[in-house]
Amino acid sequence: MSTMGMTPREIVSELDRYIVGQAQAKRAVAIALRNRWRRQQVAEPLRDEIVPKNIIMIGPTGVGKTEIARRLAKLANAPFIKVEASKFTEVGYVGKDVESIVRELTDVAIKMVRGEEQLRVAVRAQELAEERLLDLLISQRPRLAPADLHVPEASEINHTEEREELRQELRAGKLAHQVVEFESQDRPMGGMPSIEVVAAGSIEERRSTLRDMFSNMMSQQKKSRRMKVPEAMEILIQDEASHLIDMEAVIRQAIERVEQSGIVFLDEIDKIVSRSGESRHGPDVSREGVQRDILPIVEGSTVATKYGMVKTDHVLFIAAGAFHAVKPSDMIPELQGRFPIRVELSSLGKNDFLRIIQEPENSLTKQYMAMMATEGLELSFHADSLDEICDIAERVNRQTEDIGARRLHTIMEKLLEEISFDASERRVKKVMIDREYVNKALASIVQDRDLSRYIL
């Protein structure tokens, strides 16, 4: 079953592999993703009338808002970007304009589709690159004329045998230190061929298109290179792949993917909201202006990008914020209406930390154990050490600033600092972290509130 065809229950189950708790938020995004698949099954013209139900996640930092959105995009194999609403300014002010969201999302989609196409043509590109490399090796090899060179058949047989002999040596890695000279396309933009430049409305977009225009002019030039065979092979594979890929088709597919399945995670949306009932002046006026600028993108509009026009009618927007000082109802009414689904994520406690540190496939303990294993060090954690680590995380969050599960990262890094520093030099290659070790490493810091504020 494709990820787009996963049921909401299967999507939640997949999210559970990486994110602990927050069942309500997982259900909301699972339904949103499934609705995308449902919409594709609906006949035209009703399909175009079905708009995504955008979501606002409300909760403190470090409780899983970003991770839920990021994992959702991976499941959907959809173009995804995370942007911070506080980085945008109202049109006419210095700063990022909101239409750059769509342009960045389109850039992500282009890279995604192009990467898929590179995989599709990888075998053929490898074959063509190998033939080019063999031609180079033969042409640059000192040659002695055989006695029977005047016989065409003998010459051709000799050449074929030499080529096959070189092919076997190349594949066996025996030519790794040999240097070859060749010409290839100079591709400063990661191999992207020239594209049609579309007129842009903002200063930021004009700068971007100018950079691309100069880069594409440069990419038409061939560059002479001299390098060892393995590096030359990589360059030649990129060259051949770029010839095999139809970039116009890539751009069309990427734009369609943005329009039909793009996901934008709009973080810190509460930072552009002012308290209701208060007079609007100074920064408050600018915040409301940013909301009004975001509104057309969320409602559905057409944005000019360097690849062409992109419609945002069916892009899914997931907004998030702590909403400590303001409420979602303080947003301008029009923007509120574009985020009909609101879910509240709960703060994390010790029991949540215990699950986070052990259960997910990418848990911190598994990460550190894997990293230390690269030094030949067998690192393990006793159950009582994990209990103590999570107790400290909860305590520090309560006493200082609550940063959720991110507190575990700071504590674990401090806890394993000494081991990480001298892992390569240790004679004893087995290390067990227990409660005593945790207390010895962290107790003094935790007791000093002022110090823990800076260190943990």
Side-chain angles (χ1 to χ4, degrees):
M1 179 185 293
S2 68
T3 52
M4 278 297 286
M6 292 173 71
T7 67
R9 196 177 303 280
E10 289 169 334
I11 295 167
V12 169
S13 178
E14 191 67 22
L15 292 174
D16 283 340
R17 293 172 57 197
Y18 302 96
I19 303 155
V20 169
Q22 313 302 1
Q24 187 185 1
K26 289 176 184 173
R27 285 172 65 91
V29 297
I31 293 169
L33 185 58
R34 181 63 175 182
N35 280 341
R36 297 207 144 185
W37 177 84
R38 290 166 177 158
R39 177 179 165 270
Q40 294 298 327
Q41 315 310 310
V42 175
E44 298 280 7
L46 185 58
R47 183 190 305 170
D48 288 337
E49 301 300 322
I50 301 173
V51 296
K53 306 301 184 288
N54 298 320
I55 302 166
I56 285 187
M57 295 186 188
I58 304 163
T61 184
V63 297
K65 300 189 295 292
T66 303
E67 189 66 9
I68 287 173
R70 190 167 66 87
R71 292 290 172 185
L72 185 74
K74 282 191 174 183
L75 283 178
N77 190 29
F80 169 81
I81 59 166
K82 175 193 173 186
V83 295
E84 295 177 2
S86 55
K87 294 291 189 293
F88 296 98
T89 60
E90 188 178 358
V91 172
Y93 290 80
V94 177
K96 295 183 73 173
D97 70 284
V98 295
E99 288 191 350
S100 66
I101 294 172
V102 182
R103 294 192 286 268
E104 289 173 21
L105 189 63
T106 309
D107 286 338
V108 169
I110 293 287
K111 290 177 183 176
M112 178 184 290
V113 176
R114 190 172 192 276
E116 292 169 2
E117 287 297 298
Q118 283 179 324
L119 288 176
R120 187 181 63 80
V121 303
V123 174
R124 181 60 179 155
Q126 173 104 14
E127 291 171 353
L128 293 171
E130 184 178 82
E131 296 304 322
R132 276 184 66 186
L133 190 53
L134 289 173
D135 289 340
L136 290 167
L137 288 167
I138 291 170
S139 67
Q140 294 172 24
R141 171 173 281 196
R143 307 183 63 80
L144 296 173
D148 55 357
L149 191 61
H150 63 282
V151 183
E153 293 82 359
S155 175
E156 187 175 335
I157 292 170
N158 193 295
H159 178 78
T160 302
E161 288 178 351
E162 180 184 21
R163 190 178 188 86
E164 289 307 310
E165 181 183 331
L166 269 176
R167 191 189 305 277
Q168 297 304 320
E169 290 179 2
L170 176 64
R171 292 178 177 178
K174 295 180 180 179
L175 305 178
H177 297 291
Q178 189 164 335
V179 175
V180 292
E181 292 184 16
F182 63 101
E183 286 190 343
S184 70
Q185 291 290 104
D186 189 15
R187 302 178 192 281
M189 291 298 289
M192 293 285 284
S194 60
I195 56 175
E196 183 178 352
V197 178
V198 179
S202 70
I203 293 175
E204 182 181 346
E205 177 71 356
R206 285 198 291 271
R207 286 174 180 167
S208 176
T209 51
L210 280 172
R211 281 196 301 269
D212 285 340
M213 186 166 61
F214 284 119
S215 295
N216 290 325
M217 289 169 62
M218 294 283 290
S219 72
Q220 304 307 312
Q221 301 175 358
K222 287 197 172 183
K223 182 177 181 180
S224 180
R225 302 175 188 268
R226 179 181 172 84
M227 56 183 65
K228 291 184 178 179
V229 165
E231 290 83 2
M233 187 67 170
E234 291 299 318
I235 297 292
L236 292 172
I237 288 173
Q238 290 178 22
D239 263 10
E240 295 302 328
S242 68
H243 295 147
L244 293 170
I245 293 172
D246 180 355
M247 275 306 295
E248 288 187 4
V250 166
I251 291 170
R252 285 196 303 272
Q253 188 179 342
I255 290 176
E256 182 182 1
R257 196 172 291 189
V258 168
E259 293 180 339
Q260 302 301 323
S261 62
I263 298 175
V264 174
F265 183 69
L266 196 57
D267 203 6
E268 295 186 349
I269 196 168
D270 55 320
K271 301 290 178 61
I272 59 167
V273 178
S274 304
R275 289 183 181 178
S276 59
E278 295 184 358
S279 58
R280 297 285 194 269
H281 56 83
D284 288 341
V285 174
S286 182
R287 290 191 192 108
E288 188 168 311
V290 175
Q291 290 184 60
R292 295 197 180 280
D293 287 345
I294 287 175
L295 182 60
I297 305 294
V298 180
E299 278 186 327
S301 60
T302 303
V303 176
T305 75
K306 59 192 174 188
Y307 305 108
M309 308 303 284
V310 177
K311 295 181 179 179
T312 67
D313 301 64
H314 298 102
V315 173
L316 176 65
F317 287 84
I318 302 175
F323 287 96
H324 289 313
V326 294
K327 305 183 295 295
S329 57
D330 290 331
M331 293 193 298
I332 61 173
E334 300 91 334
L335 193 58
Q336 284 185 54
R338 301 308 299 182
F339 288 90
I341 301 174
R342 299 177 189 179
V343 291
E344 190 166 351
L345 285 80
S346 55
S347 296
L348 302 175
K350 179 180 174 180
N351 291 334
D352 297 310
F353 290 151
L354 275 169
R355 293 184 60 198
I356 289 168
I357 207 170
Q358 300 177 84
E359 293 181 14
E361 293 190 5
N362 61 337
S363 69
L364 277 178
T365 50
K366 292 172 186 173
Q367 290 178 29
Y368 278 103
M369 288 161 68
M371 285 195 295
M372 291 302 105
T374 63
E375 303 275 11
L377 187 69
E378 186 180 326
L379 181 67
S380 57
F381 294 85
H382 196 279
D384 63 7
S385 71
L386 299 179
D387 187 80
E388 187 66 19
I389 289 168
C390 295
D391 186 63
I392 290 171
E394 183 184 44
R395 206 182 321 156
V396 175
N397 269 351
R398 190 171 60 248
Q399 292 174 351
T400 59
E401 185 73 22
D402 186 355
I403 59 172
R406 292 191 180 95
R407 186 69 66 189
L408 290 172
H409 290 262
T410 59
I411 287 175
M412 289 288 283
E413 195 63 29
K414 186 63 183 175
L415 174 67
L416 299 173
E417 182 179 33
E418 185 179 340
I419 294 172
S420 295
F421 184 80
D422 60 16
S424 56
E425 302 165 0
R426 281 179 174 254
R427 292 183 179 179
V428 179
K429 291 297 184 179
K430 286 189 177 183
V431 178
M432 165 70 80
I433 304 296
D434 55 17
R435 187 187 295 271
E436 183 181 351
Y437 186 96
V438 175
N439 284 327
K440 182 180 177 183
L442 300 176
S444 59
I445 298 171
V446 174
Q447 289 170 5
D448 188 336
R449 288 191 182 185
D450 291 334
L451 190 58
S452 67
R453 191 177 296 274
Y454 294 102
I455 295 180
L456 298 179

